[in-house]
């Protein structure tokens, strides 16, 4: 009798499975660049902190590339400074040519005015034809000189535009060289491979002197302070499982040891749906198989037993689903209250 009452009030709400394993979001360590490994700075199974150097790749080629980019920047900057000096000089030349044009225009206007003033005096003999011919010759020379200095001014302005284009080209070369230097500096910094998270080194395969390609797996970092359990429950067991419900984890390696935890998430599909070859039940004969749904269990830290866990260990998980019954009762009461309200 007491057993039955205990089962009705407690036991039937405890959902257990032994299809559960300790997991961790392991980070793979791989280089961004290719090269020969100069030094391996960590040992297998060693604890590391975030940012700690793990592997050093030979950096001489990347150092020389960085120096070459710096030299290109210096050359481009010197070219730009030379162009700036030439532009300043050419601006002075343009101003001088503009002054020459103004003077030539004044001379041409004066000569044209003299011709116009003396032209009526030729007919009545007041002025000699020789003097008038000299005035016309001076007018022609003034107009020719004006055309010449205007051409010089146009050439000076064109030269100024050419120098401006050369300056823009030099500045573009500076930007290009700086971009190359930034890229090479990134590669140079990547010759020292650092830990992206804190954890323990596992599956270390890199050796000193080994040539590694970019993206080659060198080792893994297991975040030992972020372990969790993935329990694969039958679909017939998860009807009352909710996020936040308490759970108990029993470790196969340590009989009798229990670690408290709670449900943090429920997978959006069964394991079969995310397999490489998902089942196609609409073809051929069909045999119904109970599916399993992965449920993530967080482990309560501070427990000494949890410090002994490593990913891959087998555990047995029990979830207390009684809170779902309370939620169902509340939903039922709300539904009854809603029905009792008068129609609006």
């Amino acid at each position: 009798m007491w057993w039955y009452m205990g089962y009705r009030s407690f036991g039937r709400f405890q959902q257990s499975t032994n299809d559960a394993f300790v997991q961790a979001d392991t980070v793979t360590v791989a280089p961004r660049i290719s090269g020969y490994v100069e030094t391996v700075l960590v040992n297998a199974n060693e604890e590391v902190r975030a940012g700690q150097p793990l592997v050093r790749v030979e950096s001489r080629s990347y150092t020389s590339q960085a120096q070459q980019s710096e030299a290109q920047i210096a050359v481009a900057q010197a070219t730009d400074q030379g162009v700036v000096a030439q532009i300043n000089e050419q601006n002075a030349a343009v101003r001088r040519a503009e002054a020459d044009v103004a003077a030539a225009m004044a001379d041409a206007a004066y000569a044209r005015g003299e011709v116009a003033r003396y032209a009526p005096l030729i007919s009545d003999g007041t002025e000699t034809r020789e003097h008038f011919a000299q005035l016309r010759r001076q007018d022609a020379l003034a107009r020719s000189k004006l055309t010449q200095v205007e051409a010089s001014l146009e050439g000076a302005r064109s030269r100024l535009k050419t120098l401006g284009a050369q300056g823009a080209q030099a500045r573009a070369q500076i930007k290009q060289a700086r971009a190359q230097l930034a890229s090479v500096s990134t590669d140079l910094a990547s010759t020292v491979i650092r830990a992206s998270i804190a954890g323990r080194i596992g599956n270390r395969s890199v050796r000193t002197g080994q040539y590694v390609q970019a993206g080659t797996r060198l080792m893994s970092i297991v975040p030992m302070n972020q372990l969790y359990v993935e329990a694969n429950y039958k679909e017939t067991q998860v009807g009352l499982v909710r996020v936040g419900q308490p759970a108990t984890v029993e470790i196969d390696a340590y009989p009798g040891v229990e670690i408290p935890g709670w449900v943090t998430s429920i997978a959006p599909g069964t394991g079969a749906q995310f397999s490489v070859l998902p089942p196609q039940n609409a073809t051929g004969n069909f045999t119904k198989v109970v599916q399993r749904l992965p449920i993530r269990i967080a482990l309560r830290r501070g427990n000494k037993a949890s410090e002994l866990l490593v990913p891959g260990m087998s555990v047995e998980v029990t979830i207390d689903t009684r809170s779902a019954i309370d939620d169902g009762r509340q939903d039922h009461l709300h539904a009854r209250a809603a029905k009792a309200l008068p129609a609006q």
Side-chain angles (χ1 to χ4, degrees), residues 52-344:
Q52 178 178 338
L54 304 177
V55 177
R56 183 177 288 111
V57 180
E58 192 176 72
S59 61
R60 285 179 295 180
S61 61
Y62 298 101
T63 302
S64 62
Q65 291 178 16
Q67 293 173 348
Q68 182 179 2
S69 297
E70 290 174 349
Q72 291 176 350
I73 292 175
V75 171
Q77 287 176 338
T79 302
D80 183 45
Q81 292 173 359
V83 171
V84 170
Q86 292 180 17
I87 288 176
N88 293 332
E89 182 180 352
Q90 193 62 28
N91 281 326
V94 168
R95 290 192 296 269
R96 184 169 57 250
E98 290 174 344
D100 292 342
V101 168
M105 289 179 64
D107 292 342
Y110 176 77
R112 187 168 56 253
E114 288 294 296
V115 170
R117 187 163 62 90
Y118 279 93
L121 302 177
I122 297 298
S123 58
D124 59 3
T126 305
E127 187 65 37
T128 63
R129 291 186 177 275
E130 290 79 5
H131 184 243
F132 184 70
Q134 185 179 3
L135 291 175
R136 292 187 63 181
R137 181 175 177 276
Q138 291 176 352
D139 180 40
L141 289 175
R143 284 188 279 111
S144 176
K145 183 178 181 181
L146 176 61
T147 302
Q148 181 182 357
V149 295
E150 285 178 343
S152 298
L153 176 60
E154 186 64 25
R157 287 174 175 171
S158 298
R159 173 62 177 167
L160 191 61
K161 293 180 181 178
T162 301
L163 291 174
Q166 292 178 358
Q169 181 180 5
R171 290 189 292 273
Q173 291 175 348
I174 292 174
K175 290 182 179 180
Q176 180 182 9
R178 284 176 175 170
Q180 291 177 350
L181 178 60
S183 177
V184 174
S185 298
T186 301
D187 292 340
L188 184 59
S190 298
T191 57
V192 178
I193 304 173
R194 301 178 181 274
S196 57
I197 62 172
R200 187 185 298 174
I201 298 299
N203 194 24
R204 196 199 74 166
S205 59
V206 64
R207 298 292 183 270
T208 300
Q210 176 183 352
Y211 183 82
V212 294
Q213 295 281 357
T216 304
R217 179 172 182 164
L218 305 182
M219 62 187 74
S220 298
I221 301 178
V222 182
M224 302 302 295
N225 60 344
Q226 299 177 15
L227 299 180
Y228 60 90
V229 171
E230 189 170 276
N232 302 297
Y233 276 88
K234 296 180 181 179
E235 57 185 321
T236 55
Q237 295 179 282
V238 299
L240 296 177
V241 175
R242 303 289 186 270
V243 173
Q245 289 176 338
T248 302
V249 178
E250 298 181 16
I251 311 168
D252 290 4
Y254 310 107
V257 176
E258 295 183 352
I259 301 176
W262 66 93
V263 178
T264 59
S265 63
I266 302 173
T270 63
Q273 290 299 309
F274 299 110
S275 63
V276 178
L277 296 174
Q280 296 293 333
N281 295 329
T283 60
N285 296 326
F286 170 69
T287 302
K288 185 173 183 179
V289 178
V290 176
Q291 301 297 312
R292 289 184 177 268
L293 192 68
I295 296 176
R296 180 172 292 198
I297 308 296
L299 300 176
R300 194 173 303 281
R301 306 304 301 176
N303 190 304
K304 291 186 178 180
S306 63
E307 299 176 0
L308 304 175
L309 298 179
V310 295
M313 296 182 69
S314 300
V315 297
E316 183 172 345
V317 178
T318 301
I319 301 176
D320 188 349
T321 64
R322 285 178 294 174
S323 60
I325 297 299
D326 296 335
D327 293 342
R329 290 172 180 172
Q330 292 295 330
D331 294 340
H332 179 66
L333 292 176
H334 289 315
R336 290 183 59 185
K339 289 182 180 180
L341 291 175
Q344 299 294 329

